[in-house]
Amino acid sequence: MAEDKVLSVNNLAINFKTDNGILKAVRNISFDLNRGETLCIVGESGSGKSVTSKAIMGILANNAIIENGNIMYRGENLLEVSEDEFYKIRGHKIGMIFQDPLSSLNPIVRIGKQITEAMLINSDKLKIMYQDLISDDLIRYKNTLAKMNIEIANERKRLETFISETTASQKEGGNTGASDKAACKKAIQEKKAAFKEFEKKTRESYEKKAKELKAVLEETQRKAKQQVKEYKEKVTAEHKARLVELEKKLESASATEEASVKAEIENEKLEYVNKLKLTKAEAKKRAIEIMREVGIPDPERRFKQYPFEFSGGMRQRIVIAIALTASPEILICDEPTTALDVTIQAQILELINRIKAERNLSCIFITHDLGVVANMADRVAVMYAGKIVEYGTAEEIFYDPRHPYTWALLSSIPDVDSKEKLEAIPGTPPNMIYPPKGDAFAARSRYAMNIDYREEPPMFKVSDTHYAATWLLDPHAPKVEMPKIVSERIRISLEEEKGDE
């Protein structure tokens, strides 16, 4: 049976415009997320993990440049959807847990209000019904305009980059002659003219299509308003009829039945209101249920407390509760245990695993520590210098690692069973304003060959589910054994598993 794919990232490349030049943060990465699985993205700080997650959430900084690729979710490219559409996806379909719970919470607002806030903002059920009815046509119209603006904005960023690089190149090369300045100025003017022509043609093409879609949208809006009006009239008529029935029942009720009938009347009024909007009482009830679900004791009392009255682990549970209020399909966890001690860290990981299983969530877990994901990953993507350098199932990454960087990460995990000395990774990650020509990890690897400094390795296939970007897998490469500390740990783990069977 084919995997049920819920998210697909394809050849994603993200740059950032900085004062020092263009920083290559993410370099043509690809991965899929299947329903109900946990994909762990592992790598050192600056490897591009969080940038990838922010791109999925649509919260990249203004200086970000999407150089290439797409992020497909439910048939839509998230890099091209409008902000109106992202408003419905972000938090509702794709939730996110950040690494510092204290900075994610407002210190002067009670916990209960922070958990129920999103629910109450979307409390008008008639409005939600109307939005759902016009959603498809509205998305098509808004996305058409968004695609137009994105194409123009990306082309404008490329123009700005060209001007910046051309000007810098002239200064660095010492080309200060009149002819050189004139050539530089001419090249920039030609690029600006090409941009204006591109913008004009792009607007003409998209605006014609947008006009047709707007006409369809306006007709859908008219029908939706009528449908919502009819629904409200129907619900109201049924409510009034039921009240009349209960009032007659109350008139003929005995003294012992009177209290029961009055309770029915109050319940009918409450149900009527709940059909039209989410009340504060209902929102509070849901919030307390979710607080209990994430393991917060005595939720009725703690609902009224402030963030400073909770420990770090409890604050992280609250952040998880907020992420779960909209019942998202995908949960992105961006180093959610970094600020916690080891004991609480284990509890939060266990909680995320339990909730994921109970709700059949798909989870992207981002961390710098391979040890953290050992018991929760289904698949692992190892990132270094903006690229995925190894990709496979958790079993393949832990028991059959092939990339020297993966070996280095595994060598640095503390382990009580191994007798070997822990190995630190020498050097520092490269400056991605000036990315290395070949394998980015070559300067820090004891296994680097001459070709590693000249050419970037392709993704070599180890198995149908396991790939690694290292020249060590080339048929012509010399045979190299993994570090003894890694092979020893794999041997001990396999023996322990065999002993448990």
Side-chain angles (χ1 to χ4, degrees), residues 256-325:
T256 54
E257 294 173 336
E258 189 175 317
S260 174
V261 176
K262 284 182 178 179
E264 282 188 71
I265 291 172
E266 289 303 314
N267 188 54
E268 171 58 31
K269 289 177 180 178
L270 186 61
E271 283 186 10
Y272 171 67
V273 173
N274 283 335
K275 285 177 181 177
L276 302 182
K277 70 175 184 178
L278 180 71
T279 61
K280 285 186 178 181
E282 184 65 22
K284 181 179 179 179
K285 183 181 174 184
R286 287 193 197 177
I288 288 172
E289 287 174 359
I290 292 172
M291 288 173 73
R292 191 174 282 113
E293 182 183 356
V294 299
I296 297 173
D298 196 6
E300 291 83 2
R301 178 178 64 86
R302 310 216 75 177
F303 183 85
K304 299 176 183 178
Q305 293 182 328
Y306 292 92
F308 66 82
E309 296 180 83
F310 292 78
S311 66
M314 283 297 163
R315 282 196 291 262
Q316 192 61 284
R317 289 172 189 268
I318 291 162
V319 171
I320 294 171
I322 293 171
L324 293 176
T325 54

Side-chain angles (χ1 to χ4, degrees), residues 443-491:
R444 304 175 72 188
S445 173
R446 71 174 74 168
Y447 308 99
M449 301 176 286
N450 288 335
I451 193 171
D452 284 304
Y453 296 95
R454 298 196 310 268
E455 292 183 40
E456 193 175 286
M459 270 288 190
F460 288 95
K461 181 178 178 180
V462 180
S463 72
D464 288 340
T465 55
H466 190 187
Y467 298 84
T470 171
W471 286 114
L472 293 176
L473 292 175
D474 188 276
H476 302 99
K479 185 172 176 58
V480 173
E481 297 292 335
M482 69 176 70
K484 188 176 179 182
I485 184 173
V486 178
S487 59
E488 183 66 10
R489 285 179 174 181
I490 292 172
R491 182 187 66 78

Side-chain angles (χ1 to χ4, degrees), residues 177-194:
S179 60
D180 293 321
K181 285 183 179 179
C184 180
K185 187 176 180 180
K186 183 182 178 183
I188 291 173
Q189 286 175 339
E190 287 176 351
K191 203 73 173 177
K192 284 182 176 179

